[in-house]
Amino acid sequence: MESKDLYQHLLGLSSPWTVERVNLDMAKQHVDVYVGHPKGTRFACPQCACECPVYDHLAERTWRHLDSCQFLTYLHAEPPRIKCEKHGIAQAKLPWAEEGSRFTTMFEALAIDILHAANVKRAAAILRISWDQAWHLMERAVWRGQAAKESAIPRQIGIDEKAIAKGHHYMTLVCDLEAATVEYVGDGRTEASLTNYFTAFKPEERAGIEAISLDMWPAYIGACREQVPQADDKMVFDRFHIMQHVGKGVDQVRKQENKDLSEQGDDRLKRSKYLWLYSAENMPDAARERFDQIKNDNLKTARAWALKESLREMWSHSSIATAKRFWKHWYFWATHSCLAPMIDKAKLLARHLPNILTYFTHRITNAVAEGLNSKIATIQKRACGFRNRDNFKTAVYFHCGGLDLYPASATHKKLG
């Protein structure tokens, strides 16, 4: 098979496009493939698809293609412009590349797969392109995916925050709890951060939201109440965040008691912080013996931990009525425990009780959002952090947005 026929096949070209010549540069390890079409060829108008005559050709352009025999391969062509009676002069669509790209669709599809598996620096090295080129390919993939995605608000959403740098720099994440995708990334964790997501949809679309899982952050609560019809019936304060609040109360009790005991030369609570944060069934075997010993001592921290563990049972109830009865007993126990941090946490939960109990209507948590948050943390670590907020957003949408990132005409697409 001649080289022209080989590259005609490798590039997937069909009439009227043909490979006119192939140049091999052994010194540079380049293969340059020149593509053209016969005179008199007519091309479809990119707007109306009518067959139109060629008006002229643009200057020669170059596209990077998949390597062939480890040689960098470049495709060269003079893009034709057509003259449409209805839409005037326009560039004809090229079958091997999307408009504005300097890479063939096959190369872009491969780059997307590699960018999924490696950070941008490593992907650039594998593809033998610059960091900027690799990042631009990621941006193009996200733009393409977002443009193709149907604009619809999810039925069940999860709202969470994500720290992107030291110094309390946060982003707001909105997730589709059913599809397990990140739908929106907003700057900061203010009411405006979340409002910007909701206002992209019409009021009647926002009314289609059935349930919202979130923590008790006032800014998020305010945005939901302002933008989502009947929000108070739809908001569910996430049980994992609630248990985090109560766990902080346990730690406050431990800190004070450890200080008091240390002054008496008693080191029982020293280096025990993380033991009290575990649930009983998740206690590591290596720590269980020590924990059982100090848990059975008459310590304030042990009583606080027992309160925390008991509260977890509330979400196992089958109805809101039995959950309310459980809450009344637990609240009485907590507020009469003589443990100031636990009393404060109990009163905090009491103020938000209606939207804690909405769990028994919607049965949702922010577990999906937390899982995505963990995935994003891995992306941050792999990238050694993000100094640029826009780059952070692009990476989140690329890896967690559930977008179709591939060019429509690519013959290679990731399976699954």
Side-chain angles (χ1 to χ4, degrees):
M1 180 182 291
E2 291 187 3
S3 58
K4 291 195 294 183
D5 295 331
L6 173 63
Y7 279 96
Q8 180 86 22
H9 177 73
L10 292 177
L11 293 168
L13 295 178
S14 58
S15 179
W17 293 101
T18 59
V19 174
E20 295 180 337
R21 71 180 191 276
V22 177
N23 291 345
L24 175 63
D25 189 324
M26 295 293 293
K28 293 182 179 180
Q29 293 193 323
H30 279 199
V31 176
D32 294 285
V33 182
Y34 294 84
V35 174
H37 63 84
K39 290 183 179 180
T41 299
R42 299 172 70 90
F43 292 92
C45 171
Q47 296 188 54
C48 65
C50 291
E51 294 293 324
C52 303
V54 173
Y55 176 75
D56 63 7
H57 290 81
L58 298 173
E60 183 182 290
R61 293 184 182 175
T62 303
W63 294 264
R64 171 74 183 279
H65 187 55
L66 300 176
D67 293 353
S68 50
C69 299
Q70 299 183 351
F71 278 33
L72 299 178
T73 304
Y74 296 91
L75 187 153
H76 304 262
E78 297 178 356
R81 295 199 302 170
I82 54 92
K83 186 173 183 179
C84 177
E85 293 183 0
K86 184 177 181 180
H87 298 104
I89 298 171
Q91 181 182 317
K93 288 185 177 181
L94 302 174
W96 59 81
E98 292 190 334
E99 184 177 357
S101 178
R102 287 295 174 265
F103 300 91
T104 65
T105 54
M106 291 185 187
F107 187 94
E108 287 201 47
L110 174 64
I112 289 167
D113 282 350
I114 294 175
L115 285 164
H116 268 301
N119 63 29
V120 175
K121 182 179 179 180
R122 180 58 180 153
I126 294 170
L127 294 165
R128 295 195 282 181
I129 57 178
S130 70
W131 187 95
D132 286 336
Q133 288 175 316
W135 190 264
H136 183 60
L137 285 169
M138 181 183 284
E139 288 180 323
R140 280 182 58 86
V142 171
W143 294 335
R144 179 167 50 238
Q146 290 180 326
K149 186 172 182 177
E150 180 183 356
S151 178
I153 200 162
R155 294 188 312 119
Q156 297 182 350
I157 64 173
I159 301 167
D160 203 1
E161 63 186 33
K162 177 61 186 171
I164 65 166
K166 294 180 180 179
H168 301 287
H169 296 288
Y170 293 95
M171 305 291 274
T172 294
L173 303 179
V174 178
C175 307
D176 183 336
L177 296 182
E178 294 180 303
T181 57
V182 175
E183 298 296 301
Y184 168 79
V185 184
D187 294 322
R189 55 170 179 168
T190 63
E191 187 169 331
S193 304
L194 183 55
T195 296
N196 289 338
Y197 169 70
F198 288 128
T199 53
F201 299 94
K202 298 177 181 177
E204 55 268 27
E205 291 178 297
R206 283 176 252 154
I209 297 175
E210 296 178 4
I212 307 168
S213 180
L214 69 164
D215 61 18
M216 295 180 288
W217 184 243
Y220 293 161
I221 296 170
C224 289
R225 285 176 172 161
E226 183 69 25
Q227 300 296 330
V228 180
Q230 300 177 320
D232 281 310
D233 296 330
K234 300 174 180 180
M235 288 190 296
V236 179
F237 293 146
D238 179 53
R239 64 177 179 177
F240 299 107
H241 284 92
I242 291 168
M243 293 309 301
Q244 282 180 348
H245 279 288
V246 179
K248 289 177 181 177
V250 175
D251 194 50
Q252 289 169 359
V253 173
R254 180 200 60 81
K255 284 180 179 179
Q256 184 59 52
E257 188 172 26
N258 182 52
K259 181 180 178 183
D260 296 340
L261 290 174
S262 295
E263 291 174 354
Q264 303 171 26
D266 189 335
D267 292 334
R268 275 180 292 173
L269 288 175
K270 194 172 183 180
R271 292 192 292 273
S272 69
K273 174 181 178 179
Y274 295 102
L275 296 180
W276 303 103
L277 299 181
Y278 284 112
S279 58
E281 66 271 17
N282 291 329
M283 182 68 59
D285 292 337
R288 188 174 298 279
E289 183 178 350
R290 184 196 175 198
F291 180 74
D292 287 342
Q293 181 180 351
I294 56 177
K295 181 188 70 173
N296 294 327
D297 290 343
N298 187 24
L299 295 173
K300 293 178 181 179
T301 307
R303 290 195 287 120
W305 180 83
L307 274 166
K308 172 179 76 79
E309 287 301 288
S310 177
L311 181 61
R312 295 171 61 223
E313 297 177 19
M314 185 170 72
W315 287 275
S316 65
H317 285 266
S318 59
S319 70
I320 192 170
T322 57
K324 281 183 177 179
R325 286 197 295 271
F326 173 89
W327 165 259
K328 288 179 181 178
H329 290 296
W330 186 90
Y331 182 75
F332 180 86
W333 178 19
T335 53
H336 290 75
S337 65
C338 297
L339 303 172
M342 302 306 290
I343 294 171
D344 290 342
K345 297 303 180 184
K347 290 181 177 179
L348 170 67
L349 300 188
R351 292 194 295 271
H352 295 90
L353 185 62
N355 289 107
I356 294 174
L357 295 176
T358 47
Y359 169 82
F360 297 95
T361 301
H362 302 293
R363 301 278 178 175
I364 62 170
T365 71
N366 245 5
V368 168
E370 290 296 330
L372 289 167
N373 218 330
S374 297
K375 185 175 180 179
I376 292 167
T378 302
I379 295 165
Q380 286 179 287
K381 183 178 180 180
R382 195 168 70 180
C384 300
F386 290 91
R387 292 188 294 270
N388 184 301
R389 286 176 178 260
D390 290 334
N391 286 359
F392 173 79
K393 292 179 184 180
T394 297
V396 171
Y397 288 131
F398 183 87
H399 292 282
C400 307
L403 304 173
D404 183 359
L405 302 168
Y406 296 91
S409 58
T411 59
H412 162 71
K413 291 193 177 186
K414 187 177 181 180
L415 298 177

